[in-house]
Amino acid sequence: MIRVQNLYHDYEGKGSFAVNDVSFEVPAGSIYGFLGPSGSGKSTVQNILTKLLALQQGTVSYEDVPLHEIHPSFFNRVGYSFELPNLYTKLTGLENLRLHAGLFSVPTEDPRRVLDMVGLADAAHRKTAQYSKGMKQRLSFARAIINQPDLLFLDEPMSGLDPTTAARIKTIIAEKRASGVTIFMTTHNMYTADELCDQVAFLNNGRIIAADTPRNLKLAYGEKSVRIEYAADDASASFRTDTLFLDQEDDRRRFLALTEAGRVETVHSQEASLEQIFVRLTGRGLS
Amino acid sequence: MRALWSLMSGEVTTMRRNLFSIIMVLTLVLTVTGYYLVPETAHTAGAIAAGVSVELLEDLPVRLLGERRAPIGNRMNFIINLIVFEVLILPFVFIAVNLFQEKQDGTIRAYRVTPGGTLRYVAAKVLLWTVLTILYGVLLLLLTVGWTLSMLSWAAMLLLFAVAGLFISGAGFFVALFFSNISGWFLPGISVLLLSQLPIVSYLFPTFSPTWITWFPTYRLLYAVRDILTVGPVGRMAPHATVGGALLYMAGLALAALALACVAADRRLMREARL
C-alpha cells in the first residue's frame, strides 16, 4: 500500500505550491488514477513518490516504510513509464530493454517477449531514434514492466497511442492489476481513467478536489435519469425523445409502459462523465 | 556486477554508433604513420634536455634536472608526447560526449528509478574509458616501439595507463557534469586540455621548470613515460618525476577525481528534477 499524507512541494521556495496538502492511499493490487490538466501537479506527486523529486513536506510510505528509509534495492520492485519517453536513441529497442533489465538484481522478463507484448517485435532491431512517438511510448511502457514490478508508475501511458495500441496497453495494465501489481497512473484522459482505475483523484492547482471510485463520483455528481428515444405514436415524427427521472413514480411508470409496448429504441443513462464532473468542480477542462 | 556490465556494454554500443571507434582507429593510424615518418635523429631540444655536455657550459650556472643520458631520438620524443597528450585526452573528450548524449536522451531520469545508484553509474563510465585507454595505449606502443621494452617497463606502462586513465576519465566526467551539451562544454573543456599541455614547454626547454608546473599531472606523466620508455621504470631523470612517484601522484589524483565525480554526479545528475 502507498500512503501519502499532507504532501506539499514548492519548486521555487517562494510559497507557491505545485502540490498543496495532498493526501491519499493506494491499496495494494489496485489502480489509482490522478486526473487533472497539464500543470495541475500530477507528475510532481509521481516524481516525489519515486524519489525523482525531493520530499519537502509531508509523509510518503510504502507498506508503512517511510520514503526516506527506503533502500535503493526497493527500486527492484518499481517500474516507471515516463510521459516523455527517455530512451537511448543510439540503441535499438531490444538493446534498450536489455540494458535496463541488466540494472535490476531480480529476475526480469525476456525483452523479446515484452517487445512482442507491446507490439514492437518487428521494430526490435531498429534504433529508437527512428521510432514514432507512439512506438517510443510503448517501449517506455515495456521498459517499465521489464523487471516484473509490483509497483507500477505510469505517467500518461496512452499519450500518442492509436486506439488499437491503446487497447493493447490497457489490457496489459488490467492484467498487471489482476496479478496483484499496484498501479499509480496520471492521465488527463477521462476515458482511460474511467476504464482502468479503481479509484481516481481530481487534481487542480496542486490540490485534490475530489477522490473516490469513478462510479461513486458519477453517482454523486450525475443525475439519476435516463434519456430515451422511442417510436412515435403519430405520423408527424418517426421517433421522439424524453428524459425520465426513474426515482419519480410517474416517470418510472411511463418508462415501463414504453418498454412493455416495445417502443423504446435507445436508452442512455445520464450519469456525468468524469470530465463533466471535473468541469463542474473546477470550472476548467481536463486538456 | 550485472548492472556495471549492462551500463558498460550499452555505452560501448552507443560509442560505436557515435563513430568514436572510427575516430580512435583513424587517430591510431595517423599517429603510427607519423611515428614512422619522423626521421630517427636526435632532437636538438631533446639533446639539450638529456645529454648536453656540461663542460661546454661551465661558465654558466647549471642545475642538472636528472642524470645525464644519451640523447633521445625524435621518434621516441614523438611517441612520449603522443602517449601523454593523445591517449590520455581521448577519454577526457569522449566521456563528456557520451554524458551529453545521455543528458539529451534523458535516460538518466529512467536510470534513477532503478537500484543502480550513483557509484555504479560513475564506475561504469570511468572503468570503461580506463580500459579503453589501456587498450589504446598498449596498441599504440606495440605498433611503434614494439616488444623492445622489458617486462618491468610494460608493467609500469600498464599501471601508468590505468591510474592516468582513471584520473583523466574521472576528471573528464567531473568537468562534463557542469554542462548540458557539447557547445557549452567546448570552450572550458578545450581550455583545460590546452592548459594541460603547458608542460610540453618544460619538456622541450627544461630550463623552464618552475615548481608550479611540476604539479601538473601531465608534467609527471611526460617524465614518467620518458623514463619508462628510455631507461626503464627504476631510472630517474627529473627530480619531480620518478616513475614510482608519478604513479603514486596519479593514483592520488585519480582517487580525488573519482570522489569528486561521484559527489558531483549525485548532486547534479541524481537529484536534478528535470534531467
Side-chain angles (χ1 to χ4, degrees):
Chain A
M1 175 197 272
I2 307 170
R3 180 174 287 133
V4 176
Q5 287 173 309
N6 309 113
L7 193 66
Y8 290 83
H9 195 84
D10 180 0
Y11 280 106
E12 294 172 346
K14 293 177 180 171
S16 171
F17 291 100
V19 174
N20 196 335
D21 197 16
V22 165
S23 302
F24 61 92
E25 288 183 4
V26 185
S30 68
I31 302 180
Y32 196 94
F34 250 34
L35 210 59
S38 298
S40 59
K42 307 187 298 287
S43 298
T44 303
V45 171
Q46 197 164 46
N47 288 340
I48 294 169
L49 297 189
T50 49
K51 295 182 92 168
L52 283 172
L53 271 178
L55 176 63
Q56 293 178 343
Q57 195 179 332
T59 58
V60 175
S61 63
Y62 291 95
E63 288 146 14
D64 296 327
V65 179
L67 192 65
H68 65 271
E69 288 179 16
I70 275 172
H71 191 267
S73 64
F74 166 77
F75 286 105
N76 277 315
R77 299 171 47 200
V78 175
Y80 196 132
S81 176
F82 292 86
E83 181 183 7
L84 297 172
N86 35 20
L87 307 161
Y88 290 92
T89 51
K90 297 281 179 187
L91 304 186
T92 66
L94 185 61
E95 287 165 347
N96 263 280
L97 289 191
R98 280 187 179 149
L99 190 160
H100 201 72
L103 302 175
F104 297 94
S105 52
V106 290
T108 52
E109 295 268 14
D110 175 6
R112 287 178 189 278
R113 184 176 163 269
V114 180
L115 281 174
D116 192 38
M117 280 167 70
V118 298
L120 286 175
D122 291 342
H125 298 289
R126 216 190 301 165
K127 278 195 269 183
T128 58
Q130 299 164 359
Y131 278 21
S132 67
K133 190 189 174 200
M135 290 165 83
K136 286 179 181 171
Q137 192 68 44
R138 278 185 276 166
L139 188 61
S140 178
F141 179 79
R143 186 178 61 184
I145 60 173
I146 193 81
N147 56 318
Q148 302 174 327
D150 50 33
L151 276 169
L152 192 52
F153 292 89
L154 306 173
D155 196 357
E156 303 283 0
M158 306 302 158
S159 172
L161 299 185
D162 61 78
T164 311
T165 313
R168 189 194 279 247
I169 299 295
K170 280 178 197 167
T171 305
I172 299 172
I173 294 172
E175 285 170 1
K176 288 287 169 192
R177 174 187 40 197
S179 65
V181 176
T182 306
I183 300 168
F184 184 87
M185 182 167 77
T186 68
T187 182
H188 64 264
N189 186 320
M190 59 173 176
Y191 299 109
T192 301
D194 200 359
E195 203 173 332
L196 287 173
C197 297
D198 297 301
Q199 286 190 77
V200 295
F202 289 143
L203 209 63
N204 189 40
N205 295 329
R207 286 179 184 275
I208 289 181
I209 49 172
D212 208 329
T213 65
R215 176 184 154 75
N216 286 347
L217 285 171
K218 285 188 278 189
L219 288 176
Y221 293 97
E223 292 175 349
K224 291 173 183 169
S225 62
V226 289
R227 185 172 176 81
I228 62 169
E229 288 178 347
Y230 58 96
D233 52 2
D234 55 58
S236 62
S238 59
F239 70 90
R240 294 187 184 283
T241 61
D242 205 351
T243 300
L244 303 173
F245 292 85
L246 298 181
D247 51 354
Q248 292 178 16
E249 187 61 29
D250 289 348
D251 280 4
R252 192 162 61 244
R253 277 192 194 148
R254 181 167 159 69
F255 179 72
L256 285 173
L258 287 167
T259 308
E260 283 168 3
R263 292 171 60 194
V264 176
E265 293 180 345
T266 64
V267 182
H268 296 282
S269 58
Q270 292 297 288
E271 79 272 10
S273 71
L274 291 179
E275 179 147 27
Q276 286 168 329
I277 299 169
F278 190 87
V279 172
R280 186 167 155 186
L281 289 170
T282 65
R284 65 191 284 204
L286 276 168
S287 50
Chain B
M1 203 61 198
R2 186 186 172 202
L4 260 185
W5 179 251
S6 194
L7 284 168
M8 286 166 78
S9 58
E11 183 131 343
V12 167
T13 313
T14 304
M15 189 185 75
R16 199 157 43 83
R17 304 223 168 107
N18 267 337
L19 305 181
F20 286 1
S21 45
I22 292 177
I23 295 170
M24 287 179 90
V25 170
L26 273 178
T27 314
L28 187 69
V29 169
L30 285 173
T31 307
V32 173
T33 311
Y35 174 80
Y36 287 105
L37 287 177
V38 171
E40 180 61 317
T41 51
H43 188 281
T44 315
I48 293 169
V52 73
S53 167
V54 176
E55 288 76 21
L56 291 174
L57 303 167
E58 59 188 4
D59 293 336
L60 297 171
V62 172
R63 181 167 62 93
L64 284 176
L65 297 174
E67 298 168 22
R68 272 190 287 165
R69 301 283 176 188
I72 297 171
N74 278 346
R75 283 184 181 173
M76 188 53 84
N77 266 323
F78 180 79
I79 206 67
I80 288 166
N81 277 281
L82 281 173
I83 280 176
V84 176
F85 296 108
E86 179 190 298
V87 178
L88 301 178
I89 276 171
L90 288 176
F92 186 87
V93 177
F94 285 175
I95 203 167
V97 175
N98 258 13
L99 180 64
F100 298 141
Q101 176 79 50
E102 289 191 5
K103 282 187 172 184
Q104 187 184 320
D105 289 345
T107 48
I108 298 161
R109 201 166 157 76
Y111 177 80
R112 287 169 59 193
V113 199
T114 71
T118 310
L119 189 61
R120 235 175 249 153
Y121 181 79
V122 177
K125 295 207 172 304
V126 170
L127 283 178
L128 175 70
W129 285 101
T130 303
V131 168
L132 290 174
T133 302
I134 296 170
L135 289 176
Y136 188 82
V138 167
L139 201 57
L140 187 59
L141 278 179
L142 281 175
L143 292 171
T144 51
V145 297
W147 285 108
T148 56
L149 299 178
S150 68
M151 288 307 286
L152 195 61
S153 293
W154 269 112
M157 279 310 295
L158 282 175
L159 260 177
L160 199 66
F161 281 140
V163 289
L166 279 173
F167 166 64
I168 308 279
S169 307
F173 184 77
F174 174 74
V175 171
L177 283 171
F178 295 88
F179 304 94
S180 53
N181 54 50
I182 195 80
S183 309
W185 171 92
F186 193 77
L187 193 62
I190 295 298
S191 301
V192 169
L193 287 177
L194 287 175
L195 200 64
S196 75
Q197 298 194 8
L198 206 54
I200 291 182
V201 181
S202 289
Y203 183 80
L204 295 175
F205 307 100
T207 46
F208 174 72
S209 56
T211 307
W212 58 267
I213 214 165
T214 65
W215 293 104
F216 275 57
T218 39
Y219 179 92
R220 311 277 174 134
L221 282 171
L222 265 176
Y223 283 100
V225 171
R226 191 182 74 169
D227 281 3
I228 296 170
L229 296 185
T230 55
V231 296
V234 290
R236 175 179 169 154
M237 295 184 76
H240 301 291
T242 61
V243 174
L247 279 171
L248 278 175
Y249 186 66
M250 292 309 297
L253 286 180
L255 279 176
L258 291 176
L260 277 176
C262 283
V263 171
D266 194 55
R267 295 193 174 180
R268 299 192 68 86
L269 291 183
M270 302 297 166
R271 293 186 201 174
E272 194 69 42
R274 302 288 178 196
L275 274 174

